[in-house]
Amino acid sequence: MRPPWLKADTRWFPPTSTALKEPNGLLALGGDLTPARLIEAYQRGIFPWYSEGQPILWWSPNPRVVMYPGEVHISGSLKKFLRKSPWRVRINQAFPQVLKHCAAPRADSHGTWLLDEMQRAYIQLHQQGVAHSIEVWADDELVGGLYGVALGRVFFGESMFSRRENGSKVALVALSQLLKQAHFVLIDCQVGNPHLFSMGALTLPRATFEALLQHPNHNTPPPWPIWSEQSFPCEHFIQP
């Protein structure tokens, strides 16, 4: 069965139970990338992911790959690195640059899914206080980072990058610890890869994941301004 085509004048999405099994999670095509539609999508566990020349593709994979705040695995070597590194972690100080680095071609892939129109859409969400970046800096050089969407107590991770060894790992560890301190309940990783699983990612059935999203206690904002433009030394994120 072919997924439905979304009209640009409505934020309607089909039930996620109708998503295809192959390719896993393809739910709908078309629509637009307005902030209102994107927020509606994330609230239901749906996200856009497509390449140049394709229509907008909307996904809800089953199972879902997630992490729990504060439970990211930190290896002995990474803990040693955090203790000695002069790098600093900053929040929301270079969001557009993080997008550009995430969109850069990678050795294991061709092209990018983070097209210019996608970048513009997430910059709009950032300007509305919905999308955020965690950045790793070596003096004035951006060496790693990630970005995603925060709604209530759930952070929907979108992409990460590393320009130096451990750059993205430091960003993920920092995100995990900051979200734990702010009483977030879940980090959505969408789909898995060896890097994420090595750092503690696990899978949840789609129904379980969606139930967590809809829990009333998980829709309240965090109790402190986690997304203010703060700066931390790497050693701040070493787990006791």
Side-chain angles (χ1 to χ4, degrees):
M1 183 177 68
R2 181 181 176 85
W5 188 274
L6 304 181
K7 296 181 180 179
D9 59 354
T10 176
R11 298 203 304 269
W12 173 85
F13 283 100
T16 55
S17 59
T18 64
L20 299 184
K21 294 183 179 179
E22 183 58 43
N24 179 18
L26 181 58
L27 179 68
L29 299 80
D32 53 47
L33 296 173
T34 61
R37 187 189 290 275
L38 285 170
I39 291 171
E40 172 75 15
Y42 281 106
Q43 287 174 333
R44 296 185 53 191
I46 301 165
F47 59 89
W49 185 21
Y50 63 105
S51 300
E52 189 170 7
Q54 295 179 324
I56 301 171
L57 305 178
W58 299 92
W59 302 82
S60 175
N62 187 30
R64 193 70 164 229
V65 177
V66 303
M67 287 181 165
Y68 291 107
E71 296 186 13
V72 168
H73 172 67
I74 304 177
S75 66
S77 59
L78 182 56
K79 185 175 291 188
K80 182 178 179 180
F81 180 86
L82 290 170
R83 186 174 290 113
K84 295 184 176 182
S85 176
W87 295 353
R88 294 191 68 86
V89 174
R90 299 171 185 165
I91 301 172
N92 281 341
Q93 296 187 21
F95 187 87
Q97 292 95 313
V98 170
L99 293 187
K100 291 293 185 184
H101 287 306
C102 287
R106 308 189 184 195
D108 58 351
S109 64
H110 300 284
T112 179
W113 62 272
L114 193 48
L115 306 175
D116 288 346
E117 61 187 19
M118 286 277 278
Q119 294 183 48
R120 288 192 295 269
Y122 285 103
I123 287 173
Q124 284 186 295
L125 287 181
H126 176 65
Q127 292 169 342
Q128 294 185 10
V130 177
H132 307 279
S133 59
I134 302 291
E135 306 144 13
V136 183
W137 295 84
D139 295 323
D140 293 328
E141 181 186 359
L142 186 58
V143 298
L146 59 81
Y147 81 97
V149 171
L151 294 172
R153 304 290 180 92
V154 178
F155 185 85
F156 300 86
E158 272 296 321
S159 187
M160 62 177 63
F161 76 94
S162 187
R163 300 186 69 198
R164 293 196 199 175
E165 186 176 2
N166 290 328
S168 61
K169 290 182 179 179
V170 171
L172 184 56
V173 169
L175 174 73
S176 175
Q177 294 293 84
L178 290 168
L179 294 181
K180 179 183 179 181
Q181 294 170 30
H183 304 289
F184 275 63
V185 297
L186 198 65
I187 303 170
D188 173 33
C189 302
Q190 299 179 348
V191 295
N193 58 47
H195 173 61
L196 289 173
F197 287 124
S198 71
M199 296 193 71
L202 50 86
T203 59
L204 292 179
R206 180 195 288 132
T208 303
F209 172 75
E210 291 178 349
L212 288 171
L213 297 187
Q214 299 306 316
H215 193 290
N217 292 343
H218 300 169
N219 294 321
T220 57
W224 59 278
I226 178 176
W227 305 117
S228 60
E229 294 183 358
Q230 304 174 78
S231 178
F232 304 90
C234 284
E235 62 183 359
H236 178 83
F237 302 105
I238 299 175
Q239 295 173 338

